[in-house]
């Protein structure tokens, strides 16, 4: 069916987020070429990327914060006049659907100022309250902003907010290999927690160049990162390999970096905008994720993407979490990282059997390696490389993904049963007890909500009875909070439904009770899905264990 109209996409955050928004809108335009899409973005972030954004957006409307403030001359009246002039510009008129993909307070207020027939994403309503009406934005507001447990990539989430049911980016992905075995290296990131110190990169580059004669390196970065690049290269061990390293840090614009990437064969770096840019340039990418990085959400989106991450218990952390030692940095040894990079660049793959023959198990056991690419549904998925036992975080994330994908989109994500150890086996059984209790709370929530409707619909409704039932509904929410303390792994689900409940539709008690009933019913269905998935995972492990024990007895 032909889809027409004008979409306005608000994206006020940084370069990497703009690139990922471009990727989502590219798929939208492929599937619905008659839709007109306008981007509303900050000029300081969008201007360097115009060469890319102009390929996917029909119009780009820039916000120059400094110009708005300077025009006011510290006068509120003049500021409001300038803001109104900006809001009334012709490019902002006639928007059918306004979509917030920023999820920041500034964009929430901006959403309430721009005129549009329909709104998706977070926004401020007429009562100065934050509203989130669509389910995928509700998931972002709870799971992404609330903790590191979201099982979906941000580009896939954006596509779902845009209403895309199919994934077509993969069919048009281009693999670029400029000069063979030439690494585009970006050993920096926006936060200290997310990147190694220069000394460690010197060790990696020395070992890599010493043992791989055909490899050459181009280092990229901004002017602010030039000092760290110089520190990497001034290490005495690097002197003999200067002819195989080209330092381009601070010397190129973003557009020039994009074109220079095409002269390389592989990208290696920490989580940053340049990783997303390298993927747009067609390079295979290896991201070394540490600190606050959530690989499942932010890995460069496209085929031939790999991620190396630590198994540190506190990884990933929050930006505000204090950390003086950076254990996750230490858990990625330079020996293991060097061998991973060598295989990635010289063999165009990461072979775990080769790694085991060259790297000590002590180093390999502290890290995870994942290959990213399309699943059976076309959604972005991570595949564990090697024979490593899956961690509890990985397993529960995948279980959430399968359940939520089916619940929200009626799409069946097919994953193989993971290899788990006894500790994870016990934790899965434990969390299923919590899911049983959550299911029972939802059933009580349904009952009390239905009782409110029945009481109001009666001939002589009792105000006291309605209040009593309303209090019981509130008790359900309080009991869910207590359940989170005993089963913190359930928090992504309970937080999700808290956000849904806080955005209930209803202009009177009956409508609100009906909406509340539907929310508890949806949560009951999700609990049933989770319970069955965990039971099947545990059951598959028990079956393998029984088979092994039977085989041992038979051999005896």
């Amino acid at each position: 069916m032909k889809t027409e109209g004008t979409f306005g996409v608000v994206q006020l955050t940084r370069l990497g987020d703009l690139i990922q928004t471009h990727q989502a809108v590219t798929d939208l335009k492929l599937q619905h070429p008659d839709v007109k899409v306008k981007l509303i973005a900050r000029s300081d972030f969008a201007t360097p990327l115009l060469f890319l954004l102009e390929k996917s957006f029909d119009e780009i409307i820039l916000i120059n914060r400094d110009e708005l403030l300077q025009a006011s001359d510290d006068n509120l009246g003049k500021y409001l006049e300038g803001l109104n002039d900006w809001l009334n510009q012709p490019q902002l008129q006639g928007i059918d659907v306004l979509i917030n993909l920023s999820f920041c307070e500034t964009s929430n207020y901006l959403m309430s100022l721009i005129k549009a027939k329909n709104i998706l994403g977070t926004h401020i309503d007429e009562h100065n309250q934050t509203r989130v009406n669509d389910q995928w934005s509700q998931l972002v507001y709870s799971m992404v902003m609330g903790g590191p447990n979201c099982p979906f990539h941000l580009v896939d989430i954006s596509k779902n907010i845009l209403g895309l049911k199919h994934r077509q980016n993969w069919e048009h992905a281009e693999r670029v290999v400029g000069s063979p075995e030439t690494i585009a290296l970006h050993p920096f990131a926006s936060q200290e927690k997310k990147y190694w110190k220069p000394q460690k990169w010197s060790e990696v580059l020395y070992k890599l160049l010493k043992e791989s004669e055909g490899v050459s390196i181009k280092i990229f970065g901004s002017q602010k990162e030039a000092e760290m690049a110089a520190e990497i290269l001034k290490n005495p061990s690097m002197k003999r390999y200067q002819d195989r390293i080209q330092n381009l840090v601070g010397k190129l614009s973003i557009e020039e970096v994009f074109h220079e990437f095409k002269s390389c064969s592989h990208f290696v770096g920490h989580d940053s905008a340049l990783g997303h840019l390298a993927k747009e340039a067609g390079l295979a990418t290896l991201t070394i994720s540490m600190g606050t990085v959530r690989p499942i959400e932010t890995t460069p989106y496209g085929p031939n993407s790999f991620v190396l991450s630590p198994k540190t218990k506190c990884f990933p952390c929050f930006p505000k979490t204090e950390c003086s030692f950076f254990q996750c940095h230490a858990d990625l040894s330079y020996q293991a990282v060097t061998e991973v990079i060598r295989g990635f660049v010289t063999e165009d793959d990461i072979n775990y059997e080769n790694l085991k023959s060259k790297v000590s198990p002590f180093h390999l056991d502290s890290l995870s390696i994942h290959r990213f690419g399309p699943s059976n549904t076309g959604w972005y998925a991570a595949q564990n490389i090697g024979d490593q036992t899956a961690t509890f975080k990985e397993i529960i994330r995948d279980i959430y993904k399968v359940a939520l994908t089916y619940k929200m989109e009626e799409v069946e994500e097919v994953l193989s049963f993971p290899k788990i150890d006894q500790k994870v086996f016990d934790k899965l059984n434990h969390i299923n007890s919590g899911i049983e209790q959550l299911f029972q709370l939802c059933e009580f929530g349904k009952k009390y909500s239905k009782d409110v409707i029945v009481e109001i619909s009666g001939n002589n409704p009792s105000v006291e009875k309605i209040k009593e039932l309303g209090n019981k509904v509130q008790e359900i929410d309080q009991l869910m909070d207590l359940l989170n303390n005993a089963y913190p792994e359930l928090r992504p689900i309970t937080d999700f439904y808290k956000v849904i409940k806080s955005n209930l539709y209803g202009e009177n008690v009956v409508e609100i009770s009906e909406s509340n009933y539907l929310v508890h019913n949806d949560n009951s269905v999700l609990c049933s899905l989770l319970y069955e998935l965990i039971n099947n995972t545990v059951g598959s492990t028990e079956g393998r264990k029984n088979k092994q024990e039977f085989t041992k007895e038979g051999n005896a």
Side-chain angles (χ1 to χ4, degrees):
M1 184 173 67
K2 187 175 180 180
T3 302
E4 298 178 322
T6 300
F7 286 12
V9 175
V10 176
Q11 179 53 272
L12 302 184
T13 43
R14 302 176 69 84
L15 296 173
D17 301 290
L18 275 169
I19 296 172
Q20 292 184 102
T21 300
H22 155 77
Q23 292 169 327
V25 172
T26 296
D27 207 354
L28 172 67
K29 297 288 282 186
L30 284 171
Q31 296 184 47
H32 304 288
D34 295 312
V35 170
K36 185 176 182 180
V37 187
K38 300 181 179 184
L39 173 67
I40 298 125
R42 290 175 56 178
S43 60
D44 48 346
F45 294 142
T47 300
L49 290 172
L50 287 177
F51 72 95
L52 195 65
L53 300 174
E54 288 173 345
K55 297 177 182 179
S56 54
F57 291 95
D58 298 283
E59 285 188 58
I60 298 173
I61 304 161
L62 301 177
I63 303 173
N64 190 316
R65 177 178 173 273
D66 291 336
E67 286 183 4
L68 283 174
L69 293 177
Q70 287 173 7
S72 69
D73 195 25
D74 297 325
N75 184 297
L76 180 60
K78 288 185 178 180
Y79 171 74
L80 293 175
E81 184 180 338
L83 179 60
N84 283 326
D85 288 342
W86 185 87
L87 291 169
N88 290 323
Q89 61 181 293
Q91 294 94 324
L92 281 177
Q93 311 312 308
I95 295 176
D96 296 301
V97 185
L98 186 65
I99 305 159
N100 187 2
L101 296 182
S102 306
F103 296 93
C104 63
E105 190 172 3
T106 303
S107 65
N108 294 346
Y109 279 98
L110 183 61
M111 290 285 292
S112 68
L113 296 174
I114 298 173
K115 295 177 181 178
K117 296 177 183 177
N118 301 283
I119 291 178
L120 291 175
T122 54
H123 60 280
I124 304 298
D125 65 13
E126 63 273 16
H127 303 295
N128 201 32
Q129 300 295 314
T130 301
R131 300 290 296 177
V132 201
N133 295 328
D134 61 287
Q135 62 178 357
W136 282 101
S137 295
Q138 289 169 345
L139 182 138
V140 173
Y141 199 73
S142 56
M143 288 193 181
V144 176
M145 299 178 71
N149 298 301
C150 178
F152 300 102
H153 195 281
L154 293 180
V155 175
D156 276 333
I157 292 175
S158 295
K159 289 181 181 182
N160 288 322
I161 294 173
L162 292 169
L164 297 179
K165 298 294 182 182
H166 306 290
R167 303 292 186 263
Q168 294 185 356
N169 285 50
W170 312 109
E171 301 172 10
H172 302 272
E174 177 189 8
R175 173 67 195 278
V176 169
V177 178
S179 300
E181 297 189 9
T182 300
I183 300 174
L185 178 68
H186 182 240
F188 319 110
S190 58
Q191 301 168 14
E192 187 181 11
K193 286 183 179 181
K194 295 167 61 175
Y195 63 84
W196 267 345
K197 299 295 185 186
Q199 174 62 33
K200 200 159 186 176
W201 271 111
S202 297
E203 293 171 349
V204 168
L205 297 184
Y206 169 73
K207 183 174 173 61
L208 177 66
L209 293 170
K210 179 183 177 183
E211 299 176 3
S212 305
E213 294 182 359
V215 171
S216 59
I217 297 169
K218 295 183 179 183
I219 306 179
F220 296 88
S222 67
Q223 185 61 50
K224 294 179 181 178
E225 296 160 339
E227 187 176 338
M228 284 191 289
E231 192 171 345
I232 292 171
L233 297 176
K234 76 177 182 181
N235 190 297
S237 64
M238 302 300 296
K239 286 185 178 180
R240 61 187 295 185
Y241 303 111
Q242 295 294 328
D243 60 328
R244 291 162 59 189
I245 301 174
Q246 187 177 1
N247 182 9
L248 298 173
V249 177
K251 300 176 182 178
L252 305 175
S253 67
I254 291 288
E255 184 173 3
E256 289 170 333
V257 168
F258 176 79
H259 293 299
E260 189 67 28
F261 275 165
K262 292 180 178 292
S263 69
C264 304
S265 59
H266 298 77
F267 173 87
V268 176
H270 295 299
D271 180 85
S272 69
L274 288 196
H276 301 296
L277 193 67
K279 185 55 62 183
E280 279 298 296
L283 298 185
T285 60
L286 172 62
T287 306
I288 301 170
S289 299
M290 301 180 295
T292 60
V293 177
R294 304 173 186 178
I296 198 66
E297 296 178 20
T298 62
T299 294
Y301 190 82
N304 305 303
S305 296
F306 296 84
V307 171
L308 189 60
S309 58
K311 289 185 177 179
T312 317
K313 287 183 179 180
C314 56
F315 170 82
C317 61
F318 285 96
K320 293 182 180 179
T321 303
E322 292 186 5
C323 182
S324 57
F325 182 63
F326 294 169
Q327 181 62 47
C328 61
H329 292 211
D331 285 343
L332 293 179
S333 71
Y334 80 89
Q335 296 96 330
V337 172
T338 303
E339 290 302 328
V340 170
I341 295 174
R342 189 201 337 269
F344 172 64
V345 176
T346 62
E347 301 170 19
D348 203 33
D349 196 9
I350 298 176
N351 187 304
Y352 195 74
E353 291 302 315
N354 288 346
L355 285 177
K356 288 200 299 184
S357 66
K358 297 177 180 178
V359 181
S360 162
F362 174 78
H363 295 307
L364 281 183
D365 289 345
S366 65
L367 57 83
S368 295
I369 310 170
H370 290 89
R371 175 187 287 108
F372 281 75
S375 67
N376 65 293
T377 61
W379 294 30
Y380 212 39
Q383 176 189 1
N384 200 327
I385 293 178
D387 56 0
Q388 296 173 309
T389 300
T391 65
F392 177 75
K393 289 180 182 178
E394 293 171 341
I395 292 170
I396 203 66
R397 179 201 68 204
D398 285 345
I399 287 173
Y400 281 158
K401 183 176 186 179
V402 173
L404 287 167
T405 303
Y406 184 77
K407 175 66 181 61
M408 297 170 72
E409 296 292 331
E410 296 186 354
V411 172
E412 293 189 33
E413 188 84 21
V414 179
L415 301 176
S416 57
F417 289 115
K419 177 183 176 182
I420 62 177
D421 57 26
Q422 186 63 45
K423 186 176 180 180
V424 172
F425 181 88
D426 293 338
K427 289 188 75 172
L428 288 174
N429 280 320
H430 172 71
I431 194 175
N432 241 7
S433 299
I435 290 173
E436 284 187 86
Q437 296 176 52
L438 181 58
F439 176 82
Q440 291 168 2
L441 289 176
C442 293
E443 290 298 303
F444 278 117
K446 288 166 58 179
K447 177 185 181 304
Y448 296 142
S449 299
K450 187 175 181 181
D451 288 346
V452 170
I453 298 170
V454 171
E455 183 64 30
I456 293 174
S457 303
N459 294 327
N460 296 301
S462 168
V463 175
E464 289 301 319
K465 180 68 173 176
I466 294 171
K467 285 183 178 179
E468 180 184 343
L469 291 169
N471 289 334
K472 287 184 177 181
V473 171
Q474 290 181 350
E475 287 177 10
I476 297 296
D477 295 335
Q478 294 169 0
L479 289 170
M480 283 188 180
D481 288 336
L482 293 175
L483 193 64
N484 281 336
N485 295 331
Y487 301 93
E489 300 88 356
L490 294 179
R491 185 172 292 278
I493 300 302
T494 56
D495 284 352
F496 182 32
Y497 277 89
K498 274 185 182 179
V499 172
I500 295 175
K501 285 193 69 176
S502 67
N503 290 274
L504 286 178
Y505 168 80
E507 297 181 357
N508 54 55
V509 177
V510 173
E511 290 180 350
I512 292 174
S513 296
E514 288 174 345
S515 297
N516 200 48
Y517 176 89
L518 292 174
V519 169
H520 283 298
N521 184 67
D522 281 354
N523 207 2
S524 292
V525 172
L526 183 57
C527 287
S528 298
L529 288 171
L530 291 170
Y531 188 84
E532 181 179 355
L533 287 168
I534 292 176
N535 262 354
N536 289 342
T537 302
V538 170
S540 71
T541 303
E542 287 180 326
R544 287 198 297 267
K545 287 171 62 179
N546 291 337
K547 183 177 180 180
Q548 291 171 356
E549 290 170 1
F550 175 80
T551 303
K552 289 177 182 177
E553 290 173 1
N555 289 338

